[in-house]
Amino acid sequence: CWTMSGWVLKFLGTGATFPSSSRNLSTSLINFQGRSQWMFDCGEGTQTQLVRTSDKIASIDRIYITHNHLGHLMGLPGVISARSYTFQPQPSEEVLDIFGPVGVRSLLRTCFSISDTKLASPFRVHELLDTDDKPSADREATIYGEQVGQDFSKESNGSWILPGDASIAVENVVAAKIAHSIATFGYVVNETPRPGATKSELIATLTANQEALRKIGITSLQPIISSIKRGEIYTLPDGSVIDPSKYLGESQPTRKITILGDTFDASNIAPFALNSNYLVHEATYVSLFHKNSSPAEVEEKAVATSHSSEVMAARFAQSINAKNLILTHLPRRFDNQIAHHRAFSTALKTIE
């Protein structure tokens, strides 16, 4: 796993098409300081992988599906059901939000309907609609445990702006379509902007007014400082105004994680993924296993099947100035750390 000041990025599956003895199918997870967990894709076998970790399935609040190929979403009905049953014997109102392409809603309704599943906690599906898309099923809840979802339409800049969560300092999640054989999305998780450090002048100003503040019942300066750091203008008892822009330093850099589905061209998401701290990119084709082919020939093979090579992934990471590149969706032969390191080495040398 990769840790970034309270954000922990984990992989429950990094295999392509088929599981292997050491790799499950595509599933990743961001744990936000233990308060919330967001899953990206949900390959078959995800429940088994969760059992092997310290991550509690009940803590999963959101699941984002990149595309509707079976290796990326066939674990979804089981995870929803298992999460629900962790709340028994008492039903729970902890809603599980699921975001994904058109088709996810109808898939889940079919699975839960034919299996007569009675969920003990609710879920709702939010489909991402392109210009000519229609929801795969009516938004009105039709099965036990389902709540009405909110479908999202494409913005004028070609993205889908999905809600964040202030409690874990996520401003929003930006989705964009990337090129694959079927409709496929990448997701950019954006941290809420963090205010700069307080300047000494702020403390001096508040301290000078401390007696006046006490007279109106304010005995601690910390709540005032917190409101100013949130960008709120504060008026002192004498009528003078504290403008946050004058008393705070430059905003701190925010964090960004970009997780892509299968793709042979992710350029549509590039404007939103610039300067990502972590980029998760597929590498279905690895040059190491095509010794009789040049990297360019391996790339041709990858594009012909709507996938990427490790060199293509590295090139895209470089184009968006990603700080870290994580290769996933790896072939079955990619089952040891030495091969992993060699693949990274090949990718980096090729783009130097």
Side-chain angles (χ1 to χ4, degrees):
C1 65
W2 283 259
T3 302
M4 186 173 55
S5 300
W7 290 17
V8 181
L9 175 60
K10 299 182 178 183
F11 294 88
L12 304 179
T14 57
T17 310
F18 307 104
S20 70
S21 59
S22 62
R23 293 186 188 278
N24 199 52
L25 294 174
S26 295
T27 310
S28 53
L29 195 70
I30 303 178
N31 186 310
F32 297 95
Q33 298 178 328
R35 295 199 298 267
S36 180
Q37 293 186 119
W38 294 1
M39 182 176 284
F40 293 81
D41 281 340
C42 189
E44 183 181 351
T46 296
Q47 287 186 70
T48 304
Q49 295 295 87
L50 282 167
V51 169
R52 295 170 178 166
T53 73
S54 59
D55 300 295
K56 298 184 183 300
I57 195 169
S59 299
I60 298 172
D61 302 309
R62 299 187 186 186
I63 299 177
Y64 297 83
I65 300 299
T66 64
H67 64 295
N68 291 341
H69 277 157
L70 299 184
H72 295 258
L73 87 166
M74 283 311 292
L76 187 56
V79 165
I80 295 172
S81 179
R83 176 186 180 274
S84 167
Y85 292 137
T86 62
F87 295 106
Q88 288 187 332
Q90 296 298 323
S92 170
E93 294 304 314
E94 297 289 333
V95 181
L96 174 62
D97 286 298
I98 301 156
F99 301 83
V102 171
V104 174
R105 181 179 291 122
S106 60
L107 167 75
L108 291 176
R109 284 185 182 172
T110 298
C111 288
F112 293 138
S113 176
I114 64 175
S115 62
D116 194 29
T117 300
K118 299 292 190 294
L119 299 173
S121 63
F123 78 95
R124 55 194 173 203
V125 176
H126 317 280
E127 292 187 334
L128 280 56
L129 307 180
D130 209 336
T131 307
D132 298 323
D133 285 342
K134 294 181 179 179
S136 63
D138 190 84
R139 287 176 55 243
E140 291 300 320
T142 62
I143 60 173
Y144 193 96
E146 183 184 12
Q147 292 187 358
V148 178
Q150 174 189 351
D151 293 336
F152 292 85
S153 299
K154 185 167 64 174
E155 303 287 328
S156 59
N157 64 1
S159 72
W160 283 256
I161 307 299
L162 310 180
D165 184 341
S167 71
I168 54 174
V170 174
E171 182 177 33
N172 59 32
V173 177
V174 177
K177 274 192 170 178
I178 53 180
H180 188 44
S181 56
I182 63 172
T184 302
F185 292 89
Y187 296 99
V188 182
V189 181
N190 293 298
E191 183 181 26
T192 301
R194 293 182 286 172
T198 55
K199 295 181 179 180
S200 57
E201 292 91 331
L202 174 61
I203 305 302
T205 300
L206 292 176
T207 301
N209 285 268
Q210 204 159 13
E211 187 59 37
L213 289 168
R214 281 199 192 98
K215 290 180 179 179
I216 60 172
I218 299 175
T219 58
S220 172
L221 299 180
Q222 190 54 52
I224 300 174
I225 294 172
S226 296
S227 70
I228 293 169
K229 293 195 76 168
R230 290 194 298 267
E232 300 170 7
I233 294 174
Y234 190 83
T235 304
L236 292 166
D238 63 3
S240 59
V241 173
I242 296 179
D243 184 341
S245 64
K246 296 179 181 179
Y247 289 93
L248 297 178
E250 292 186 10
S251 296
Q252 300 177 48
T254 55
R255 294 171 290 182
K256 180 185 295 187
I257 295 177
T258 297
I259 298 177
L260 305 182
D262 295 359
T263 186
F264 63 92
D265 179 3
S267 56
N268 279 347
I269 204 170
F272 315 108
L274 289 172
N275 303 312
S276 291
N277 296 85
Y278 289 99
L279 166 66
V280 180
H281 196 298
E282 69 128 297
T284 308
Y285 284 76
V286 177
S287 300
L288 183 69
F289 304 124
H290 299 268
K291 295 180 179 179
N292 296 323
S293 302
S294 68
E297 291 170 330
V298 174
E299 184 172 332
E300 287 182 12
K301 294 177 183 179
V303 172
T305 59
S306 300
H307 286 288
S308 292
S309 68
E310 84 281 14
V311 174
M312 295 165 66
R315 189 186 303 134
F316 181 73
Q318 186 182 55
S319 73
I320 64 169
N321 193 35
K323 307 301 184 295
N324 298 278
L325 167 63
I326 302 172
L327 297 179
T328 186
H329 205 261
L330 302 167
R332 294 181 73 178
R333 288 180 291 175
F334 207 121
D335 274 351
N336 64 73
Q337 290 297 319
I338 294 176
H340 206 162
H341 293 153
R342 286 178 181 171
F344 267 113
S345 178
T346 301
L348 295 174
K349 285 179 179 177
T350 302
I351 64 172
E352 283 179 349

